[in-house]
Amino acid sequence: MKMEQDGRLKRLKLPGIYYSMQAILVLEGLDPKEWVKSPFEWRRLKNELEATKKELATCRETLNQFSAILAKYNYEAVQK
């Protein structure tokens, strides 16, 4: 309410209390253009996220295998 009284935020003329997302983003110091994505961009980001998740899973698997080999090597070195 104080932001409305200060004139920094303007209420939309709808039932209830609503503000434009652009006004909120500007108030928060964010660029509203960065928050507008086309369906194509969302699909591209989703595909990129899925590819990154697969790559992460592969990296984790490789790291686990490497860790097991290293543990076995250390065990055999201690036994000698």
Side-chain angles (χ1 to χ4, degrees):
M1 292 295 223
K2 184 168 174 27
M3 290 184 201
E4 281 184 45
Q5 293 169 353
D6 294 346
R8 292 184 287 164
L9 194 58
K10 191 171 184 177
R11 190 181 297 196
L12 296 176
K13 296 183 184 201
L14 296 171
I17 300 174
Y18 295 99
Y19 306 100
S20 77
M21 185 167 180
Q22 183 173 1
I24 300 293
L25 292 173
V26 168
L27 192 62
E28 291 290 327
L30 302 170
D31 185 3
K33 292 177 185 173
E34 292 180 7
W35 288 84
V36 179
K37 303 273 189 254
S38 69
F40 174 76
E41 182 68 9
W42 282 116
R43 187 170 46 250
R44 186 191 69 75
L45 290 170
K46 183 179 176 184
N47 291 340
E48 183 179 326
L49 177 61
E50 289 304 316
T52 302
K53 285 180 180 180
K54 287 178 183 177
E55 184 179 355
L56 177 60
T58 301
C59 289
R60 284 181 174 162
E61 184 179 330
T62 302
L63 187 57
N64 286 339
Q65 290 173 357
F66 179 73
S67 180
I69 292 169
L70 186 58
K72 181 180 176 184
Y73 174 79
N74 285 338
Y75 176 77
E76 289 173 354
V78 169
Q79 294 301 317
K80 290 183 183 180

